[in-house]
Structure formats: C-alpha cells, structure tokens
Amino acid sequence: MRTKEELPECPVATAVSLIGGKWKLLLLRNLKERPWRFNELQRSIDGISQKVLTESLRQMIDDGLAYRRDYHENPPKVEYGLTDLGMEMLPIVNALADFGNYYKSVVDRL
C-alpha cells in the first residue's frame, strides 16, 4: 500500500490514481459480484491482455483494493476478490453505472 506522502494531495486525484483507466473500473465491476479466477476475468473483459490484467490486479492488490487467494492445489486454483477497502469503492462504480444507464436513455430520446 502506498504511503500518505506518495498520494496526491487532492482526494479526487487520490481516488483516480487508485482506479484510473478503464480496466480497473471494469475489474471492480466484476469483482463486486464474487471472487473470480484469472481466466474468467480475462474472458469477461473484452480487449484486455493477459499482461495488462496481471498488472492491473497486482496494482489493485498493492493498493489494498483486491486480494489474491491461492488454494495451493494441483491443478492450480487462484481467485481474486475485493477487500473491505475495495468494497468501499463500489458506490463509485454503482454511480457510474447509474449515469451510464441514464445517458443511454437520454441518447435514445434524441
């Protein structure tokens, strides 16, 4: 997790630094439902590469938003989910979804 000194002074910039870019928001969207396996996540997010998914998940884990659970089985079983801190981001994700639905309804009427 980053130290307070490493974070931007502005609280909005801090939040954006944690979930910036389109992939982390989509990961939050999926992980809010249940823990997911890596390949499930990759298949569910159109256009994300394995490298970018790995980097995004690692950053979210480092920032304390997500966790990685390794079941130490053969074949390997690893799941990713949201921490309590990550769950605190869900109102933001839900608000974005609400706005997206509203925007689509407005566009339909034009």
Side-chain angles (χ1 to χ4, degrees):
M1 200 173 292
R2 298 182 229 180
T3 65
K4 191 172 183 178
E5 292 76 30
E6 293 174 309
L7 296 171
E9 192 171 317
C10 171
V12 173
T14 297
V16 169
S17 76
L18 294 172
I19 59 169
K22 65 180 179 179
W23 303 120
K24 288 182 186 176
L25 283 170
L26 296 176
L27 286 168
L28 282 168
R29 175 204 65 192
N30 285 7
L31 294 175
K32 77 177 189 174
E33 301 299 328
R34 62 177 172 82
W36 289 63
R37 296 182 70 171
F38 185 89
N39 287 333
E40 286 182 303
L41 281 170
Q42 188 173 10
R43 284 191 301 268
S44 71
I45 301 175
D46 191 37
I48 193 168
S49 69
Q50 181 176 347
K51 178 184 176 195
V52 171
L53 178 56
T54 299
E55 289 172 0
S56 297
L57 286 168
R58 282 187 184 147
Q59 289 170 359
M60 290 173 69
I61 291 166
D62 289 345
D63 288 332
L65 301 177
Y67 67 82
R68 179 184 188 271
R69 180 173 295 135
D70 187 342
Y71 288 90
H72 302 289
E73 294 179 358
N74 200 1
K77 180 180 178 184
V78 175
E79 289 181 337
Y80 297 88
L82 290 181
T83 63
D84 290 341
L85 188 58
M87 297 277 199
E88 292 292 322
M89 301 294 279
L90 295 183
I92 296 168
V93 175
N94 293 334
L96 286 168
D98 290 344
F99 179 78
N101 286 326
Y102 170 75
Y103 185 82
K104 285 180 180 180
S105 72
V106 170
V107 168
D108 285 344
R109 287 185 260 150
L110 295 178

